[in-house]
């Protein structure tokens, strides 16, 4: 049993699972889900009011309950925010938020109900924002699982590091709290570390499975990647900080979608957005030497690298790595497309893609052309040069990411159907669990339940 499209997709990839039922408070979300999982039962209801006596039994329960910080007062504020038109002039219908989502207590209520029926739910996962653990009733809530006979594990995982077997690794930095639980009657505990250690490369030991290390040892593990924890090489005597493998945001971008020159916009971008783009340009610009003709390949080289023999005519220029300007909120203003995307939220699309205006015609066509070109997963912009030594904001190309790209950033499979307007689809995606995270977490639970090993994802070549 699951809450939405993301968790269901991930669970679907785990051998031996079958979706029994999906519940959501939002009609559009549950209708979208039904299109993709026609075999399961679907319910749209105020989950906090649902009478679980009439609900089917499920061996595994995935729950993404309402964030407790969105209580009545802040909930109202959130609805008002939804009524602010976005870049496409769209607002969200009130029914996207008016019904109550499941609360954290409803998870315990369902588990207790099944125990009263004589068949305990064998295991599951609760997902939430990391501040969920700061809820003042968190302790009694957690204690509830133990009182109902469950062993629990508190997990802090960034979706960029959930190295799933089947689901696309999410090219997004998304820090979330998870509570995994397995009933003691199962007799085995999940091997969480097997699933949670991401692939990484240690400069001294090569390919390893990195070990999560929280900076503060005086309290329970909690927090975000980099800010509150890092990953280290697991080898004895090493332990250096290493970066887990992660897909870059460029993986989510459809480079064939045209973008508009900022100077040509009818409705100018907000000053704050322009400032962020200007700031991003300074951050990601690199000086390049661009060979215009040459037999040694047409690779542009950064000026700080050893210069090749200058036998050919050349030009110098400035290029920048395409980047995402973050239009609202967040701790950062922009992020390179070679890094994972910043967190997708439900409040609206706020990812603006900034690419270059004109490239030097060193491809031999003699024509300058826009640089909205496909970038391989790990290639750099070194092969692009710019005629001008300076890049004006007005000359850059800009567009918002499309819902399909947001979907890829959320690790949704290609072709997953979502109903509604652009903004509604982004809302559903922002609320979702990334399937790569639900896949690895439920894999750990299923292994404990069945006692059969599942092979985790190999490191990509
Ligand atoms: Zn090492």
């Amino acid at each position: 049993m699951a809450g939405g499209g993301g968790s269901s997709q991930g669970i679907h990839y785990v051998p031996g699972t079958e979706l029994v039922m999906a519940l959501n408070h939002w009609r559009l979300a549950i209708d979208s889900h039904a299109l993709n999982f026609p075999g399961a039962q679907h319910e749209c209801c105020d989950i906090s009011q649902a009478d679980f006596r009439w609900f089917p039994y499920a061996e595994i329960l995935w729950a993404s309950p309402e964030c407790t910080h969105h209580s009545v007062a802040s909930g109202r504020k959130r609805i008002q925010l939804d009524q602010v038109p976005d870049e496409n002039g769209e607002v969200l219908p009130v029914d996207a938020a008016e019904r109550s989502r499941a609360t954290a207590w409803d998870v315990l209520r369902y588990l207790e109900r099944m125990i009263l029926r004589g068949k305990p739910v064998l295991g599951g996962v609760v997902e939430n924002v990391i501040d969920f653990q700061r809820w003042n009733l968190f302790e009694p809530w957690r204690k509830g699982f133990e009182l109902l006979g469950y062993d629990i594990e508190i997990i802090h995982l960034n979706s960029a590091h959930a190295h799933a077997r089947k689901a696309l690794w999410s090219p997004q930095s998304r820090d979330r709290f998870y509570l995994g639980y397995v009933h003691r009657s199962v007799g085995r505990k999940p091997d969480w570390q097997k699933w949670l250690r991401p692939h990484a490369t240690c400069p001294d030991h090569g390919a390893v499975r990195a070990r999560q290390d929280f900076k503060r040892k005086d309290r329970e593990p909690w927090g975000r990647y980099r800010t509150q924890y890092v990953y280290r090489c697991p080898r004895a005597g090493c332990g250096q900080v290493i970066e887990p493998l992660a897909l870059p945001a460029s993986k989510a971008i459809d480079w064939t979608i045209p973008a508009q020159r900022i100077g040509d916009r009818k409705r100018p971008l907000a000053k704050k957005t322009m400032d962020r783009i200007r700031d991003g340009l300074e951050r990601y610009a690199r000086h390049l030497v661009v060979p215009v003709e040459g037999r040694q390949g047409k690779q542009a080289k950064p000026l700080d690298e050893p210069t090749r023999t200058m036998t050919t005519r050349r030009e110098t220029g400035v290029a920048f790595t395409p980047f995402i300007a973050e239009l609202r909120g967040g701790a950062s203003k922009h992020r390179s497309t070679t890094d994972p995307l910043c967190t997708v939220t439900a409040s609206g699309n706020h990812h603006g893609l900034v690419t270059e205006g004109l490239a030097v015609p060193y491809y031999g066509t003699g024509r300058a052309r826009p640089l909205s070109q496909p970038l391989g997963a790990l290639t750099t912009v070194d092969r692009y040069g710019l005629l001008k030594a300076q890049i004006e904001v007005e000359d850059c190309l800009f567009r918002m990411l499309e819902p399909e790209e947001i979907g890829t950033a959320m690790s949704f499979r290609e072709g997953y159907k979502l109903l509604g307007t652009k903004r509604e689809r982004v809302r559903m995606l922002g609320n979702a669990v990334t399937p790569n995270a639900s896949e690895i977490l439920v894999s750990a639970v299923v292994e404990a339940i069945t006692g059969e090993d599942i092979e985790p994802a190999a490191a990509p070549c």
Side-chain angles (χ1 to χ4, degrees), residues 192-333:
W192 295 107
Q193 288 304 306
K194 169 180 170 181
W195 293 97
L196 291 170
R197 289 187 171 197
H199 292 283
T201 305
C202 170
D204 297 325
H205 300 104
V208 292
R209 304 296 296 260
R211 175 174 60 83
Q212 190 179 35
D213 185 34
F214 286 85
K215 293 176 184 176
R216 279 183 64 170
K217 314 291 183 201
D218 60 332
R219 67 173 186 200
E220 199 168 49
W222 172 85
R224 290 183 172 77
Y225 176 56
R226 284 206 182 95
T227 318
Q228 277 87 22
Y229 69 86
V230 292
Y231 282 98
R232 293 183 183 278
C233 174
R235 294 290 188 91
C238 180
Q240 60 185 303
V241 173
I242 50 178
E243 183 72 24
L245 297 181
L247 291 182
S250 61
K251 261 293 201 224
I253 294 166
D254 178 352
W255 298 96
T256 65
I257 299 174
Q260 194 183 17
R261 189 178 162 271
I262 290 174
D264 294 342
R265 288 177 65 94
K266 277 195 192 116
R267 201 172 58 165
L269 290 169
K271 185 185 174 296
K272 200 174 161 193
T273 305
M274 290 292 275
D275 289 345
R276 288 183 169 200
I277 294 172
R278 209 167 276 125
D279 198 69
L281 283 176
E282 279 173 28
R283 172 81 169 69
Y284 303 111
R286 300 175 79 188
H287 285 269
L288 300 174
V289 178
V290 181
V292 175
E293 306 160 38
R295 295 198 183 91
Q296 300 171 351
K298 291 174 178 175
Q299 297 279 318
K301 277 197 151 191
L303 281 178
D304 50 6
E305 282 179 21
T307 319
R308 76 182 91 184
T309 324
M310 295 288 182
T311 54
T312 56
R313 198 157 61 83
R314 68 182 194 278
E315 296 195 33
T316 57
V318 181
F320 66 90
T321 313
F323 64 92
I324 303 289
E326 293 156 17
L327 269 59
R328 272 192 296 278
S332 57
K333 293 188 258 185

